Amino acid sequence: PLFSGQSVSEKTFVFRRIAILLSHFRIILGSSNKLQEMNQVKKNFTLDTILLILGLVCLVTGVVLDFQIVPRHTEARHLYRDIHTYIGYAMYVGLVIHIVWHKAWIQAAARKILKR
């Protein structure tokens, strides 16, 4: 379980980190004027690049955890687990954004495929 054995202050710290992460994604979605002016290709490229980096970090931390490169029950292992978990959350948010941005394309492709 994610929060087993954590104190209230540790749980509060975790939720603060999530809030900061979500605020960064709000910026990516276009709350700043500069990002609103980006064309769709640049927005897609930016999001895809972020998702690639997040995926690579998630892969590395997953390998470190799975192959027990960092010994169990150490502070470093907890750090890797937390990084792995929150990067996974960030990837999920990025995936949702990606799907929302491509909703029209997904609908058109589904109609075309289902017509056959």
Side-chain angles (χ1 to χ4, degrees):
L2 181 63
F3 295 117
S4 64
Q6 290 183 331
S7 69
V8 173
S9 63
E10 289 172 324
K11 291 176 187 176
T12 303
F13 181 72
V14 167
F15 287 116
R16 284 185 185 157
R17 288 192 288 185
I18 292 171
I20 290 169
L21 181 66
L22 291 175
S23 71
H24 289 288
F25 274 105
R26 186 177 49 90
I27 291 169
I28 292 168
L29 281 171
S31 64
S32 110
N33 288 335
K34 185 176 181 181
L35 287 174
Q36 287 176 349
E37 295 170 5
M38 272 189 190
N39 65 27
Q40 191 65 33
V41 173
K42 287 181 181 179
K43 287 169 91 174
N44 288 336
F45 180 78
T46 302
L47 180 61
D48 291 347
T49 302
I50 290 168
L51 286 171
L52 174 67
I53 292 167
L54 291 173
L56 291 173
V57 172
C58 196
L59 175 73
V60 169
T61 57
V63 168
V64 166
L65 292 169
D66 190 46
F67 290 104
Q68 298 181 12
I69 295 170
V70 176
R72 289 184 181 264
H73 308 296
T74 62
E75 196 64 35
R77 186 166 178 86
H78 292 291
L79 176 65
Y80 275 95
R81 187 192 65 214
D82 288 346
I83 291 171
H84 185 76
T85 300
Y86 296 117
I87 292 295
Y89 293 154
M91 286 174 44
Y92 179 75
V93 170
L95 172 70
V96 170
I97 293 167
H98 191 76
I99 290 171
V100 168
W101 283 355
H102 291 89
K103 180 182 174 187
W105 181 88
I106 293 168
Q107 290 172 337
R111 277 191 216 105
K112 187 175 181 178
I113 290 170
L114 293 175
K115 265 187 176 179
R116 294 181 185 172

